[in-house]
Amino acid sequence: MSHTLGVRQAQKQKTRRALLDAGLRLLEDQSLSSLGLREVTRVVGVAPAAFYRHFRDMSDLGVALVEESLGSLHGVVRVILAERDGDEQLIDATVEAVAELVRGYPAHIRFIARERHGGVRPVREAIAAELSRFADEVAEAFAPQLTAEGWSLEDVRMLAELYVDHMVMTATAFLEAQPGDQPGEPSEAQPGEGAGDPEAVRRVAATARRQLLLISLGRRHWRTG
Amino acid sequence: MSHTLGVRQAQKQKTRRALLDAGLRLLEDQSLSSLGLREVTRVVGVAPAAFYRHFRDMSDLGVALVEESLGSLHGVVRVILAERDGDEQLIDATVEAVAELVRGYPAHIRFIARERHGGVRPVREAIAAELSRFADEVAEAFAPQLTAEGWSLEDVRMLAELYVDHMVMTATAFLEAQPGDQPGEPSEAQPGEGAGDPEAVRRVAATARRQLLLISLGRRHWRTG
DNA sequence: AAAGTCGGCGAACGGTTGTTTACTGAATGA
DNA sequence: TCATTCAGTAAACAACCGTTCGCCGACTTT
């Protein structure tokens, strides 16, 4: 599809990407409401006025980052929920998926966690909308089985929100367990990669698994035990 | 105790309070890392330099706000957990306590939610420490009964963290259901008080109750069902 | 009553911010 | 080939920022 997009548009999207990347990098140490326009353009190596060719605002860039961070998540649910051979394996797969997400895109996850209740309204609303759509998909995936067991749609939605919130919670816990460039600590004992204390990561994963296990235990006995 | 504190110190603490109040008010629409020193002093009506008589930094003021917001919470747990006549009433009491907290001190709660993962490290760490202490108390309150049922201390702590995180989650959900001065919407149909859509508030409470019910259902069947 | 403490003031500093303006020059399309 | 589009530039703008300095004057201690 699409006939290779022309040299003009290609260059434009290239600097747009650079702006997004620079913004995301700077947002690891500060929040969006304090991130300056000039700060971003300075990192990219472009004139401040060039910013306006791509974004109206800083919050505009923020919304774009939200879509980039959470947009690719929508397929993931069905993939994980498809390979379920029992509760425990589904839980393991879920926690592992969250861990991999945090390991692969720490800056994106940190951005979402930080701006979910941050000071920029449009960004907050974009995140809320995206997470709500995410909960919709989780609910949709659980609906067939649970309604067959006599669950109301309201209760299914309630459970889906609990799952989504717990996933976000787990993701931020993973983030705190593997700090990116935490100043104060000069370096790692293991100079391999930037993954923080591996034992702390395992502890977070173990806690998350047990919590999900407890929740699914409650789910099995809902209005039947 | 303490001999009435002298006129000098009294005046000092008065402007200190004013600075904290002004900061908290301004932080309803922005995050700490973008809050300016001059901005705060301007609201209070003092010279910018006066700020340094009370706080070293903006993050210093932030840490003070954390203690003020979460410090008074430590007694609350035992009070609620004391009046328990069965699971459901304990859940109702908990949700009602959170709702009242949000209704009574919305700015404090918003501040905590916003800065928990915000851009200012010392504040993040202060919040994390306070919430951890809170989880300790919850765990301590649940320990006698649960250990008698064969729970490990690790599992008790896991459950306590789940409860605390769910309470924070519920508090922010309440906040979103009753927006303070949400611009865009000119005013309330009911000009009585600033509480937003009452039905949305009830819906949040109902969801939180059912989620807690499901969790306590899982707790009852932990390693026994 | 004298000496000392200290919260707040006012001014100045160097630096940064967002935004607008007129412009250049390469890619584009007729 | 020639006119047009438009991403990026350079400069200027007023406004604001955090921080430092010396000073005043009301409170406090001796």
Side-chain angles (χ1 to χ4, degrees):
Chain A
M1 61 168 116
S2 78
H3 42 57
T4 49
L5 205 61
V7 181
R8 202 66 169 284
Q9 298 270 342
Q11 282 290 348
K12 179 170 183 180
Q13 293 218 353
K14 204 170 175 182
T15 66
R16 187 188 137 100
R17 264 252 58 83
L19 286 170
L20 287 169
D21 290 343
L24 198 61
R25 186 158 78 81
L26 291 167
L27 284 170
E28 296 196 59
D29 309 306
Q30 57 187 306
S31 47
L32 185 62
S33 61
S34 74
L35 178 60
L37 177 154
R38 295 182 102 105
E39 207 173 343
V40 177
T41 58
R42 195 182 310 129
V43 170
V44 175
V46 82
F51 183 90
Y52 295 103
R53 301 289 183 194
H54 302 272
F55 305 102
R56 185 193 320 274
D57 259 338
M58 257 309 171
S59 59
D60 197 13
L61 182 142
V63 171
L65 280 178
V66 171
E67 291 174 12
E68 176 174 311
S69 301
L70 258 33
S72 64
L73 217 74
H74 288 302
V76 181
V77 194
R78 304 181 190 284
V79 175
I80 292 185
L81 290 240
E83 49 164 295
R84 53 155 140 180
D85 297 336
D87 268 6
E88 294 210 25
Q89 278 164 21
L90 188 143
I91 288 175
D92 287 357
T94 302
V95 173
E96 186 50 41
V98 173
E100 249 179 76
L101 199 72
V102 174
R103 212 179 305 129
Y105 308 92
H108 289 81
I109 306 297
R110 167 159 285 130
F111 167 71
I112 294 298
R114 183 158 291 170
E115 301 303 327
R116 186 184 184 187
H117 306 289
V120 184
R121 170 118 40 143
V123 172
R124 274 197 322 255
E125 289 173 350
I127 294 177
E130 215 73 43
L131 287 182
S132 179
R133 286 209 288 150
F134 191 53
D136 286 345
E137 297 189 19
V138 173
E140 207 175 320
F142 273 92
Q145 176 186 336
L146 292 184
T147 50
E149 297 178 10
W151 285 54
S152 72
L153 284 180
E154 210 180 358
D155 281 350
V156 172
R157 174 77 195 187
M158 174 274 289
L159 181 66
E161 287 178 11
L162 184 59
Y163 275 134
V164 170
D165 281 322
H166 187 268
M167 284 177 64
V168 173
M169 198 183 90
T170 303
T172 66
F174 273 127
L175 265 186
E176 287 169 19
Q178 34 171 288
D181 303 347
Q182 195 106 5
E185 296 276 333
S187 180
E188 213 60 32
Q190 201 94 351
E193 58 252 347
D197 185 2
E199 195 192 338
V201 174
R202 270 195 295 271
R203 205 164 45 238
V204 169
T207 298
R209 273 195 294 267
R210 283 205 297 268
Q211 288 171 339
L212 282 175
L213 200 62
L214 189 141
I215 290 175
S216 77
L217 215 58
R219 172 172 60 75
R220 277 205 293 272
H221 293 85
W222 185 249
R223 308 252 164 198
T224 67
Chain B
M1 65 173 103
S2 78
H3 41 57
T4 51
L5 205 61
V7 182
R8 201 69 170 281
Q9 298 270 342
Q11 282 290 348
K12 179 169 184 180
Q13 293 217 355
K14 203 170 174 182
T15 66
R16 187 189 137 100
R17 264 252 59 83
L19 287 170
L20 287 170
D21 290 343
L24 198 60
R25 186 158 78 80
L26 291 166
L27 284 171
E28 297 196 58
D29 310 304
Q30 58 187 308
S31 48
L32 185 61
S33 60
S34 75
L35 177 60
L37 177 155
R38 295 181 102 105
E39 206 173 344
V40 177
T41 58
R42 195 183 309 127
V43 170
V44 176
V46 299
F51 183 89
Y52 295 103
R53 302 290 184 192
H54 303 272
F55 305 102
R56 185 191 323 271
D57 256 339
M58 257 309 173
S59 58
D60 196 15
L61 182 142
V63 171
L65 280 178
V66 171
E67 292 174 12
E68 176 174 311
S69 301
L70 258 33
S72 64
L73 218 73
H74 287 301
V76 181
V77 194
R78 304 180 190 282
V79 176
I80 292 184
L81 289 240
E83 48 165 295
R84 53 156 142 178
D85 297 336
D87 268 7
E88 295 210 23
Q89 279 163 22
L90 187 144
I91 287 175
D92 287 358
T94 303
V95 173
E96 185 50 39
V98 173
E100 248 179 77
L101 199 72
V102 174
R103 212 179 306 129
Y105 309 92
H108 289 82
I109 306 297
R110 167 159 286 130
F111 167 71
I112 293 298
R114 183 158 291 169
E115 300 303 328
R116 185 184 185 187
H117 306 289
V120 184
R121 171 115 42 129
V123 173
R124 272 193 330 250
E125 289 174 349
I127 294 176
E130 215 72 43
L131 287 182
S132 179
R133 286 210 288 151
F134 191 53
D136 286 346
E137 297 190 18
V138 173
E140 205 175 322
F142 272 92
Q145 176 185 336
L146 292 183
T147 50
E149 297 177 10
W151 284 54
S152 73
L153 283 181
E154 210 179 357
D155 281 351
V156 172
R157 173 77 194 187
M158 175 275 288
L159 181 67
E161 287 178 11
L162 183 59
Y163 275 134
V164 170
D165 281 323
H166 187 269
M167 283 177 65
V168 174
M169 196 183 92
T170 302
T172 66
F174 273 126
L175 265 186
E176 286 169 18
Q178 36 170 290
D181 304 346
Q182 195 103 7
E185 296 276 333
S187 180
E188 213 60 32
Q190 201 96 351
E193 58 253 346
D197 186 2
E199 196 191 339
V201 173
R202 271 195 295 271
R203 205 164 45 238
V204 169
T207 298
R209 272 195 294 267
R210 282 204 297 267
Q211 288 172 338
L212 283 175
L213 201 62
L214 190 142
I215 290 175
S216 78
L217 215 57
R219 171 171 61 76
R220 277 206 293 271
H221 293 85
W222 185 250
R223 308 252 163 198
T224 67

